[in-house]
């Protein structure tokens, strides 16, 4: 079981996934992308593996067969025996995920699921990133960071991650999802004890180093 948890929140396109994965590699920590579970559930519903009417605690426990790698160098996501690592990054999933992510039953299930996966890690530490990790999922984590950037920068970064035929709807995907998710949890304002890192004027390497320095500093303070 891991005994050191780094929680990283942030809006879409803030770089939290790629930065978190790089930080985990540098520290030899495990890495957990919590947003993948919401995307995988959306994919499962869209492809008829789970009924949207069966989104209850019991229904999810019984029917959502989800697994994810916490190895930052061997990342994969599965629903049942099907590898959906690439499929859950489609524009169809991105546009539909907020509909299910905002449901209380789903968020409660995902909170428990995230805690279980993190607890099972055999690494000395784990970096867990998502929307409400610092405030809801792991408020007692040793390091809590809110990673953000201006909307212009976030749109540019997210657009660069997608093929050209998927870039036309990027503003709607990012801005609309942020707006919908903000109705459920505030991931733009750091809660008490959460450190804000604004990467608007930082490149990727600088952002990774800034997060690493924060972790090292906070660790030296006895956290």
């Amino acid at each position: 079981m891991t005994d050191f948890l780094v929680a990283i929140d942030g809006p879409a396109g803030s770089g939290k996934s790629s930065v978190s994965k790089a930080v985990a590699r540098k520290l030899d920590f495990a890495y957990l992308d919590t947003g993948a579970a919401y995307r995988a559930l959306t994919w499962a519903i869209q492809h008829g593996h789970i009924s949207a009417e069966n989104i209850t605690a019991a229904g999810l426990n019984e029917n959502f067969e989800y697994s994810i790698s916490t190895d930052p160098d061997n990342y994969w996501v599965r629903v049942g025996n099907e590898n959906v690592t690439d499929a859950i990054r489609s524009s169809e999933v991105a546009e539909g995920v907020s509909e299910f992510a905002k449901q209380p039953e789903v968020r409660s299930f995902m909170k428990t699921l995230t805690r279980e996966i993190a607890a099972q890690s055999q690494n000395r530490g784990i970096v867990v990133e998502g929307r409400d990790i610092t405030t809801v999922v792991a408020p007692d984590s040793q390091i809590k960071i809110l990673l953000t950037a201006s909307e212009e920068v976030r749109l540019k970064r997210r657009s660069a991650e997608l093929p050209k035929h998927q870039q036309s709807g990027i503003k709607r995907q990012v801005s609309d999802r942020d707006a919908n998710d903000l109705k459920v949890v505030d991931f733009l304002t750091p809660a008490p004890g959460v450190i804000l890192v604004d990467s608007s004027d930082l490149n990727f390497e600088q952002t990774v180093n800034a997060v690493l320095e924060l972790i090292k500093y906070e660790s030296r303070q006895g956290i």
Side-chain angles (χ1 to χ4, degrees):
M1 180 181 293
T2 187
D3 57 8
F4 195 99
L5 195 152
V6 178
I8 300 182
D9 281 343
S14 63
K16 61 184 181 295
S17 295
S18 53
V19 169
S20 296
K21 190 179 291 186
V23 167
R25 287 194 185 103
K26 294 278 189 180
L27 297 174
D28 195 26
F29 279 14
Y31 159 73
L32 180 55
D33 168 13
T34 65
Y38 289 96
R39 286 174 172 269
L41 175 62
T42 303
W43 178 90
I45 294 170
Q46 290 175 341
H47 288 79
H49 295 269
I50 301 175
S51 169
E53 288 71 36
N54 199 24
I55 301 301
T56 62
L60 289 170
N61 276 311
E62 182 177 350
N63 299 300
F64 186 43
E65 299 179 27
Y66 176 77
S67 58
I68 185 171
S69 167
T70 58
D71 181 349
D73 292 316
N74 182 30
Y75 177 78
W76 50 259
V77 180
R78 295 193 182 106
V79 174
N81 294 320
E82 188 159 357
N83 189 316
V84 296
T85 309
D86 295 327
I88 62 173
R89 301 297 165 182
S90 70
S91 57
E92 178 186 19
V93 169
E95 291 178 3
V97 67
S98 289
E99 177 184 351
F100 305 107
K102 68 184 179 183
Q103 298 183 26
E105 296 86 351
V106 172
R107 301 196 76 84
S108 178
F109 173 83
M110 293 301 185
K111 178 176 71 174
T112 300
L113 178 65
T114 298
R115 289 175 173 174
E116 290 176 349
I117 295 173
Q120 291 166 5
S121 171
Q122 298 302 306
N123 294 65
R124 64 190 181 94
I126 186 169
V127 180
V128 181
E129 57 93 354
R131 291 285 193 171
D132 54 3
I133 309 306
T134 64
T135 55
V136 177
V137 177
D140 297 325
S141 56
Q142 288 86 346
I143 308 291
K144 299 189 286 286
I145 295 172
L146 175 61
L147 180 62
T148 189
S150 68
E151 183 178 64
E152 179 183 1
V153 169
R154 291 190 289 113
L155 289 173
K156 183 178 179 180
R157 289 173 179 169
R158 181 52 61 87
S159 181
E161 296 173 353
L162 299 173
K164 286 188 176 180
H165 70 276
Q166 292 184 13
Q167 292 179 5
S168 59
I170 192 64
K171 180 174 176 59
R172 182 180 68 254
Q173 290 178 24
V174 172
S175 301
D176 287 1
R177 186 181 173 199
D178 282 350
N180 285 331
D181 287 358
L182 276 169
K183 297 174 183 176
V184 181
V185 59
D186 183 359
F187 52 85
L188 296 179
T189 306
V194 178
I195 304 167
L196 178 67
V197 175
D198 189 330
S199 67
S200 299
D201 298 320
L202 302 177
N203 61 29
F204 177 73
E205 184 177 353
Q206 290 170 331
T207 306
V208 171
N209 287 336
V211 172
L212 285 170
E213 287 302 313
L214 275 175
I215 294 171
K216 292 175 183 176
Y217 174 79
E218 294 296 332
S219 298
R220 287 195 298 267
Q221 305 310 302
I223 296 177

